[in-house]
Amino acid sequence: GRLTALEAFGSTVESLKQNHSAFMSEKASRDSHHASLAQRMDYLEKIVGDSAEHHKKELQATKQAQEQLHDRLHHEKQLREQAHADFEGRLSMERDGRGAHHATLEERSQKLERVAAEHQESLSQLRDHMRTEAAARSQQHDAIQEQIGQERR
């Protein structure tokens, strides 16, 4: 009896050892998974933290660049407004000067028109004189031709 009881107890012990070994293997696997999960969480927290810090720096740099651009645009606007005011002043002076010059040009234009009319009349008289001269020369030429023709006969 006793040997049978020990043999039965031995198989129970062996079963307990196998169960304990399986339990320990499962526990090691869970511990490994748990450690792996903790490491992954640490890694993700580090990446998110680094990314947030990087974005914060980029946002600050962008904000600073925007402020510089705003200052530059404001300065350009002031320069443009000053140049426009200077131009308006010069344009006003030019308009005033042209008004006086326009009156002078009008007088000069009228004088030139009178002189041109006088020259037109002189030119017309000269053309008439040239026609008369041309006709007289033509008659003289014809007369000379006739005289030469008579002398040859």
Side-chain angles (χ1 to χ4, degrees), residues 11-24:
S11 75
T12 302
V13 169
E14 192 59 37
S15 175
L16 279 175
K17 282 182 181 180
Q18 286 177 355
N19 285 340
H20 179 68
S21 176
F23 175 75
M24 289 307 282

Side-chain angles (χ1 to χ4, degrees), residues 122-137:
S122 295
L123 183 62
S124 179
Q125 290 172 358
L126 184 61
R127 282 185 184 147
D128 289 343
H129 178 71
M130 285 176 59
R131 278 189 218 112
T132 305
E133 283 292 317
R137 284 191 183 167

